């Protein structure tokens, strides 16, 4: 099954897939503990000192790979988000900023964790991330597409893409940018992506779907084994054309469709050579 077909199957009925994920024993157990105990947390220090709650909250906001950074996250939570000089606003990481906004101890104090909205937001995000992780076991491309669908509409700056390895992977793959560019200075990477992207397009559902469609096409082209029976030489251009149809234009998000079709053609030619 191609990346785009799996992604579309899930995204078209996302609530059903999230409900299935939420019932998985490991997810259900972690969620129940969070719901039963988060109300006891009165400060940033309390949250960080409880490994199960801290792990759950961090994972929900896509920060599971930063569990070691307890000192950093404590400072983020203690400073809040009201000042432009606060650490959360200076890090250019949308996940950290969202985390700080949700657990805004600096503003709401001990009542922070009493909010039912906070609990439902964190649980929903944790379930979504668990679904993505589940899909990654079979096809990492589907995980990346689902993550991009969830996060991209809230991106405010190209720096947010550079700070999120999954977002960056999607953008690099879609635009044909070598992952080796990640070794360049951040400002150089920023200028490169700024010239190729209009991030406001991601707030347009049709253009966002078009971009993800192109990503899945390029991902399958880059990762398919032409000697295997699952390789389909038609899947990539079909997905690209689907993306154009979704956006209602051949030039969605500033991508030259002819270049993508040419890439697909070259891959096809090499298969039959």
């Amino acid at each position: 099954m191609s990346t785009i077909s799996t992604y579309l199957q899930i995204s078209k009925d996302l609530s059903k897939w999230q409900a299935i994920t939420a019932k998985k024993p490991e997810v259900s157990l972690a969620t129940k503990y969070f719901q039963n105990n988060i109300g006891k947390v009165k400060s940033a220090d309390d949250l960080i000192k409880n490994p199960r709650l801290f792990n759950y909250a961090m994972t929900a906001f896509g920060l599971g790979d930063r569990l070691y950074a307890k000192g950093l996250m404590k400072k983020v939570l203690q400073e809040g988000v009201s000042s432009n000089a606060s650490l959360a606003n200076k890090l250019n990481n949308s996940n950290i900023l969202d985390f700080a906004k949700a657990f805004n101890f600096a503003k709401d104090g001990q009542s922070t964790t009493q909010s039912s909205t906070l609990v439902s937001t964190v649980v929903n995000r944790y379930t979504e991330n668990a679904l993505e992780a589940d899909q990654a076991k079979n096809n990492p491309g589907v995980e990346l597409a689902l993550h991009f669908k969830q996060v991209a509409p809230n991106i405010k700056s190209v720096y947010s893409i550079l700070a999120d390895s999954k977002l960056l992977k999607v953008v690099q793959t879609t635009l044909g940018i070598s992952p080796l560019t990640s070794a360049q200075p951040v400002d150089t990477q920023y200028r490169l992506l700024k010239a190729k992207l209009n991030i406001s397009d991601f707030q347009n559902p049709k253009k966002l779907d078009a971009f993800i469609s192109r990503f899945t096409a390029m991902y399958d082209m880059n990762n398919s084994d032409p000697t295997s029976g699952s390789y389909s030489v038609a899947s990539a251009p079909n997905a690209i054309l689907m993306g154009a149809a979704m956006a209602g234009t051949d030039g969605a998000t500033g991508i030259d469709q002819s270049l993508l079709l040419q890439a697909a053609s070259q891959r096809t030619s090499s298969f039959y050579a």
Side-chain angles (χ1 to χ4, degrees):
M1 204 170 192
S2 67
T3 301
I4 191 168
S5 59
T6 303
Y7 164 73
L8 289 176
Q9 182 185 52
I10 296 173
S11 63
K12 285 180 179 179
D13 202 353
L14 189 58
S15 59
K16 183 190 80 172
W17 284 86
Q18 288 176 331
I20 292 173
T21 302
K23 291 179 180 178
K24 289 198 163 192
E26 63 275 20
V27 177
S28 176
L29 185 64
T31 296
K32 186 173 294 186
Y33 181 85
F34 178 81
Q35 292 172 325
N36 291 341
N37 292 278
I38 189 60
K40 302 172 186 175
V41 169
K42 305 301 181 184
S43 66
D45 199 44
D46 287 347
L47 178 61
I48 291 171
K49 284 183 176 179
N50 187 316
R52 292 177 69 178
L53 291 179
F54 183 60
N55 188 321
Y56 190 97
M58 290 282 282
T59 301
F61 286 89
L63 298 168
D65 60 343
R66 294 176 181 248
L67 292 173
Y68 63 89
K70 292 183 178 180
L72 174 73
M73 297 310 299
K74 182 177 179 179
K75 186 175 176 61
V76 163
L77 294 178
Q78 289 177 333
E79 292 186 2
V81 297
S82 59
S83 169
N84 290 332
S86 67
L87 187 56
N89 285 314
K90 290 169 63 177
L91 288 174
N92 287 313
N93 185 312
S94 60
N95 290 337
I96 291 179
L97 183 59
D98 287 346
F99 184 87
K101 287 179 178 178
F103 292 93
N104 199 345
F105 292 103
K107 176 186 176 184
D108 301 321
Q110 295 186 5
S111 65
T112 299
T113 58
Q114 304 302 310
S115 167
S116 59
T117 300
L118 167 70
V119 175
S120 62
T121 296
V122 176
V123 168
N124 288 340
R125 291 188 67 142
Y126 184 88
T127 303
E128 174 63 28
N129 276 279
L131 172 59
E132 292 173 14
D134 215 29
Q135 290 303 311
K137 297 173 185 176
N138 297 316
N139 187 336
V142 176
E143 176 203 17
L144 293 170
L146 289 171
H147 180 74
F148 199 84
K149 175 80 169 180
Q150 177 192 19
V151 177
N154 298 315
I155 293 174
K156 305 300 182 185
S157 166
V158 169
Y159 282 117
S160 295
I161 296 175
L162 294 172
D164 186 318
S165 60
K166 293 179 182 177
L167 294 179
L168 183 58
K169 174 69 173 178
V170 171
V171 170
Q172 288 177 335
T173 301
T174 306
L175 300 180
I177 298 173
S178 170
L180 296 178
T181 59
S182 296
Q184 297 176 346
V186 172
D187 288 343
T188 300
Q189 296 179 62
Y190 172 85
R191 288 192 294 271
L192 173 64
L193 295 187
K194 183 73 173 176
K196 292 177 175 289
L197 277 178
N198 181 359
I199 59 175
S200 64
D201 283 345
F202 298 145
Q203 297 170 25
N204 180 313
K206 287 187 177 181
K207 290 185 177 182
L208 175 61
D209 285 342
F211 194 89
I212 295 174
S213 177
R214 283 165 165 75
F215 162 71
T216 58
M218 299 304 293
Y219 183 88
D220 278 345
M221 275 207 313
N222 294 339
N223 293 279
S224 292
D225 179 1
T227 64
S228 72
S230 62
Y231 179 76
S232 170
V233 295
S235 62
N238 282 346
I240 295 167
L241 291 172
M242 183 185 297
M246 287 176 176
T249 173
D250 287 342
T253 64
I255 302 171
D256 187 340
Q257 184 182 355
S258 64
L259 291 177
L260 292 175
L261 289 172
Q262 183 180 8
S265 175
Q266 290 174 346
R267 181 66 181 255
T268 303
S269 299
S270 65
F271 172 62
Y272 285 111

